[in-house]
Amino acid sequence: MNRQQSDGPAVFSSWRIFSHPQDRHCVAFHVACLAAYCCAFWMYQHPKLVGVTGPWSRIAFVAASATMLGWISGINVGVNFHNHSHRPIFTSQFANRWFGRIWAFSAGWPSFFWEYCHVTIHHARLLAVDDWTLPRQNADGSFEDFRRYLFMHWPWRLMKHLWLDLTARRNLRRRSLRELVIFLALWSIPFWIDWKMAVWLWALPHWIANVWVMGSGMYAQHAGCVSKSDARPLSHSNVFVSKFFNLTMFNIGFHLEHHEHPRVHWSLLPELHERLKQELIDGGAHVVPYGNHRAAWLLAGNDARKKQFAEQAVGYTSNR
Amino acid sequence: MSRLPGTFLSRAGLAFGRSFWPLLAIVVIAGAILWGPWVSLAITVLAVTAALRLL
């Protein structure tokens, strides 16, 4: 793929801070997320200013803020930091390491742990029995119940698997411990300011981010899929082609393309999708016209809703 | 020359679009100063419902 064609004018070719000029949008997203947290914290400390006059209005403020913060944190780490874990966004290794740490902590993760789960486990073992990042599989190969995966996976199953994996080898153990200490130092900051505020506007959003946003995303991206084989090389991931979804979600909808070519920059995935379109159609890839959110809604429902998810997007049906 | 405003608009649209969700979150949270916590909660419920049905 010609990078110059898709990245804009040649003026960016001398860019030195970012590995790719489009990566500035990743930083903007993360800074906006941190600003949203700061805004919510400040307003929690000034209740009269926001019309909080009693317990019910406080519940309304916390419910609105925690939901929005959880939603954006789920995207910020599950999609935005995810891109960084495949292709670090800065040219400096030091900046990559430290920005990663102050990135993943905003959804309750040490950056190294998240990278380990995603790259070392999920990408390397996609849909195999030892890919413990995905829902467990029933005897017929289908995923376990949507709700069961959401509520059992984070943090319970993850903690168990991470403990077993990261304590198994000495070098991993040492690095994990260092990263965990750095994470705890950063993650505890809101608790030092006001522990009640931290529970409602820091820990609760992180639970929403991991369980509802990242959990449902992982489920939808691979629901109904089978591990890669010669017979079914393009049935390991689903493709979500909603333009608005992909615009606002760093093109994560092109998930099959991402798993096939994880080193391709996120901004180039729509172009890659167009190039591979016929191959996807011929290979029987499952393509839907919406994004992860609606897919999760359908997969959490009854058989009729699940059947809707199984339908193929118009224009992606093979004539063979 | 005529390409310049178009390029600027498309870049600005891309930048805004990619940060749409955190910007919406800031509007909902900070907007409580103007319209109070109940309206912010109503906007949140509407946004989540719309996303689950449409996106």
Side-chain angles (χ1 to χ4, degrees):
Chain A
M1 200 175 306
N2 186 338
R3 181 169 155 165
Q4 201 66 44
Q5 282 176 341
S6 49
D7 294 355
V11 68
F12 284 119
S13 60
S14 61
W15 198 270
R16 291 184 187 279
I17 299 169
F18 294 113
S19 304
H20 189 286
Q22 297 288 317
D23 286 336
R24 65 191 187 277
H25 294 295
C26 302
V27 174
F29 191 103
H30 178 51
V31 169
C33 285
L34 292 183
Y37 272 105
C38 290
C39 185
F41 291 172
W42 187 79
M43 289 169 76
Y44 186 92
Q45 300 292 329
H46 299 81
K48 284 188 180 155
L49 200 69
V50 282
V52 171
T53 51
W56 288 106
S57 51
R58 184 175 286 276
I59 288 170
F61 175 73
V62 165
S65 302
T67 305
M68 293 308 292
L69 292 171
W71 190 353
I72 62 174
S73 296
I75 302 169
N76 191 28
V77 171
V79 181
N80 196 16
F81 173 75
H82 154 266
N83 295 327
H84 176 69
S85 72
H86 285 289
R87 284 181 58 121
I89 65 168
F90 297 108
T91 49
S92 154
Q93 284 300 316
F94 178 81
N96 284 325
R97 194 165 52 247
W98 274 99
F99 199 81
R101 285 167 178 158
I102 59 157
W103 199 341
F105 96 111
S106 64
W109 279 86
S111 56
F112 172 65
F113 287 25
W114 202 93
E115 285 167 354
Y116 180 83
C117 287
H118 187 74
V119 181
T120 310
I121 304 299
H122 180 54
H123 267 260
R125 309 172 182 178
L126 181 61
L127 283 159
V129 283
D130 54 353
D131 179 3
W132 45 257
T133 63
L134 282 177
R136 289 180 180 167
Q137 294 178 22
N138 300 318
D140 63 354
S142 62
F143 277 175
E144 66 181 317
D145 180 71
F146 180 81
R147 281 158 291 263
R148 186 175 170 79
Y149 172 66
L150 258 57
F151 293 111
M152 294 299 289
H153 187 66
W154 188 94
W156 318 113
R157 287 180 188 167
L158 269 172
M159 281 202 298
K160 183 190 135 204
H161 285 294
L162 280 170
W163 174 263
L164 291 173
D165 278 31
L166 298 178
T167 56
R169 277 184 292 163
R170 195 175 169 188
N171 60 337
L172 267 181
R173 197 161 54 224
R174 192 175 294 169
R175 185 173 176 191
S176 304
L177 185 63
R178 186 175 66 236
E179 294 294 334
L180 185 63
V181 169
I182 293 169
F183 163 75
L184 288 173
L186 291 168
W187 197 75
S188 65
I189 292 169
F191 287 91
W192 293 108
I193 300 167
D194 179 341
W195 72 268
K196 281 184 189 168
M197 175 196 79
V199 167
W200 297 118
L201 296 179
W202 186 240
L204 177 61
H206 294 177
W207 179 80
I208 293 169
N210 282 282
V211 172
W212 291 101
V213 183
M214 285 191 250
S216 65
M218 281 292 276
Y219 194 100
Q221 282 161 350
H222 301 285
C225 295
V226 292
S227 58
K228 191 171 180 173
S229 63
D230 289 342
R232 298 185 68 183
L234 298 174
S235 298
H236 54 75
S237 310
N238 299 310
V239 184
F240 306 85
V241 291
S242 160
K243 280 189 179 168
F244 185 75
F245 175 81
N246 282 308
L247 169 68
T248 56
M249 297 282 283
F250 296 93
N251 297 317
I252 197 69
F254 301 110
H255 207 67
L256 197 157
E257 295 86 335
H258 167 62
H259 270 279
E260 285 289 300
H261 303 278
R263 294 287 300 160
V264 169
H265 192 265
W266 58 268
S267 65
L268 302 175
L269 286 171
E271 193 182 323
L272 179 64
H273 173 78
E274 286 306 316
R275 276 205 300 141
L276 299 178
K277 191 172 176 180
Q278 195 54 49
E279 198 182 316
L280 297 179
I281 295 168
D282 295 341
H286 183 217
V287 183
V288 294
Y290 38 82
N292 285 5
H293 304 312
R294 179 167 166 75
W297 164 260
L298 294 174
L299 288 163
N302 56 17
D303 286 348
R305 281 210 331 236
K306 285 177 187 157
K307 210 172 164 188
Q308 260 188 321
F309 175 72
E311 288 169 10
Q312 186 80 342
V314 175
Y316 287 89
T317 310
S318 175
N319 294 324
R320 287 187 193 177
Chain B
M1 277 297 283
S2 61
R3 274 195 63 199
L4 201 61
T7 308
F8 172 76
L9 282 176
S10 86
R11 279 194 195 166
L14 204 58
F16 175 77
R18 284 180 178 158
S19 287
F20 177 79
W21 295 120
L23 294 176
L24 177 69
I26 291 171
V27 168
V28 169
I29 295 165
I33 293 174
L34 296 174
W35 50 62
W38 292 104
V39 175
S40 285
L41 182 60
I43 297 170
T44 303
V45 171
L46 277 175
V48 172
T49 308
L52 289 175
R53 301 310 293 268
L54 303 170
L55 290 177

